[in-house]
Amino acid sequence: MSRVIVVGAAQLGPIQRAHTRQDVLKRLMALMAEAASRSCDVVVFPELALTTFFPRWFEPDITTTNHFYETQMPSSVTQPLFDEARRLNIAFCLGYAELTHDGHRYNTQVLVGKDAKIIAHYRKIHVPGHEHHEPDRPFQHAERYYFEPSQDGFGVWNALGGRIGMMICNDRRWPETYRVMGLKGVEMILCGYNTPLHYAPDPTQDRLQSFHNSLVMQSGAYQNGTWVVGVAKGGCEEGVDSLGDSAIIAPSGEIMAQATTTDDELLTYACDLDWCNNYKNTLFDFNRYRRPDMYSSITAQRGVVLD
Ligand code: CDT
């Protein structure tokens, strides 16, 4: 049986505040149709792919932002994307803001099978930014106000003929993210992101956004012998410039396909999952070479302890 997954990384350009869900759905469906015409098995959309990146504004009454969240997936608005996926026989991965019936707010991604049934939900674990209004910033990154960090952990699911994991944006900067999924035998990690080029706490990092993005995803792929698919919402959204650079990265750590714009753009690559074993069974044979007894501080403590 073929262990090749043809992946479409469906980068989005900006979504402005005035754009409706229907405007966005048209763009997602156009990218999905293009992915299907290029024989993709799965198309991966970015983090918070249905709206503008609203954590850039601080609204003291959070309920006034409820319209940015989905209370159902699919809903009457997103159902056409599911219907189109079933018609085209293509799986997809979609990021959105989730508001649960009991009032919890998560930054969420779903993996949907070719039959348009939801295979898995993943809720963002590493929630970056700040909890309170910081008026001195040129724009806010109040994700910690708008989203709770998930307690559900990292999942890896049997899907598309392989072991598929998910992470969202800031998760990609943390080696633990990849390793926990690596220990569950992950073969492909799907990741949406929104990364502003300006980082207010330390602007010296601004010029390095592209480098850091590649650095973390390429090393995570290599060190765990897994494919990584990173998909941006890039370009200038409501005056804030964000990184493009969506990429499909092999278990060797090499970039096999990369976006050349910061707009709606589809990258595709036929990913051979068996390539993972070249790394999983040799240099990164976890069972043979890892030393978990030497790593206990990784789960026992959160911050630095000077001994
Ligand atoms: N969406 C998201 O997680 N963005 C962060 C921006 C830096 S933290 C303010 C990221 O890690 O790319």
Side-chain angles (χ1 to χ4, degrees):
M1 193 185 132
S2 164
R3 295 255 299 150
V4 173
I5 300 179
V6 183
V7 172
Q11 176 174 286
L12 288 178
I15 299 175
Q16 309 302 348
R17 193 172 186 145
H19 292 160
T20 64
R21 295 274 202 298
Q22 283 83 358
D23 295 332
V24 177
L25 255 275
K26 273 189 209 148
R27 290 165 60 185
L28 300 181
M29 291 190 6
L31 286 160
M32 182 179 270
E34 191 183 342
S37 77
R38 288 160 65 176
S39 304
C40 289
D41 295 296
V42 60
V43 58
V44 185
F45 296 112
E47 175 192 33
L48 301 177
L50 296 172
T51 65
T52 198
F53 189 78
F54 61 91
R56 75 168 61 89
W57 299 289
F58 191 88
E59 294 294 342
D61 177 359
I62 200 168
T63 62
T64 63
T65 66
N66 284 357
H67 60 98
F68 287 121
Y69 295 77
E70 309 302 309
T71 52
Q72 276 184 302
M73 187 55 67
S75 63
S76 54
V77 181
T78 49
Q79 184 65 49
L81 189 67
F82 284 67
D83 294 343
E84 190 65 352
R86 184 170 32 227
R87 192 182 71 78
L88 295 170
N89 194 37
I90 189 168
F92 70 95
C93 179
L94 177 75
Y96 61 97
E98 177 188 8
L99 175 56
T100 68
H101 293 304
D102 51 353
H104 295 280
R105 295 168 192 272
Y106 298 106
N107 188 334
T108 298
Q109 222 169 247
V110 274
L111 178 61
V112 180
K114 292 180 179 183
D115 58 0
K117 294 210 166 68
I118 292 179
I119 297 169
H121 289 85
Y122 168 71
R123 291 166 170 163
K124 189 171 182 174
I125 286 178
H126 298 97
V127 179
H130 49 102
E131 292 84 355
H132 304 291
H133 191 211
E134 297 193 5
D136 291 343
R137 291 177 180 242
F139 55 89
Q140 305 293 295
H141 197 108
E143 275 198 69
R144 293 177 72 83
Y145 173 66
Y146 286 111
F147 301 115
E148 285 175 44
S150 165
Q151 300 295 335
D152 299 342
F154 293 102
V156 175
W157 296 272
N158 291 324
L160 304 167
R163 298 279 296 158
I164 310 296
M166 291 192 273
M167 62 184 179
I168 301 177
C169 196
N170 191 261
D171 288 324
R172 77 195 189 288
R173 302 187 191 272
W174 298 89
E176 295 86 350
T177 300
Y178 303 86
R179 183 62 98 221
V180 171
M181 288 192 269
L183 287 167
K184 295 178 183 216
V186 76
E187 295 176 311
M188 180 176 284
I189 302 176
L190 310 178
C191 177
Y193 61 88
N194 283 259
T195 296
L197 297 183
H198 178 56
Y199 182 59
D202 177 18
T204 67
Q205 296 178 30
D206 295 4
R207 70 180 181 84
L208 301 169
Q209 290 295 356
S210 172
F211 167 61
H212 288 160
N213 179 56
S214 306
L215 179 72
V216 292
M217 292 198 292
Q218 290 183 256
S219 52
Y222 166 64
Q223 290 166 348
N224 294 279
T226 180
W227 290 88
V228 172
V229 182
V231 185
K233 175 145 64 62
C236 188
E237 198 178 83
E238 297 293 343
V240 176
D241 273 315
S242 290
L243 186 69
D245 281 4
S246 299
I248 300 174
I249 300 161
S252 60
E254 293 167 286
I255 294 176
M256 309 310 286
Q258 186 157 36
T260 56
T261 73
T262 50
D263 222 322
D264 291 11
E265 180 180 343
L266 182 76
L267 337 170
T268 63
Y269 196 78
C271 304
D272 183 354
L273 299 184
D274 287 335
W275 194 355
C276 300
N277 294 330
N278 289 44
Y279 292 86
K280 291 186 190 293
N281 295 341
T282 60
L283 203 71
F284 295 113
D285 181 341
F286 288 171
N287 211 29
R288 183 166 184 194
Y289 297 120
R290 285 186 77 249
R291 296 291 313 282
D293 44 331
M294 297 293 114
Y295 312 149
S296 54
S297 52
I298 287 182
T299 53
Q301 73 193 55
R302 185 161 169 170
V304 174
V305 175
L306 302 177
D307 47 21

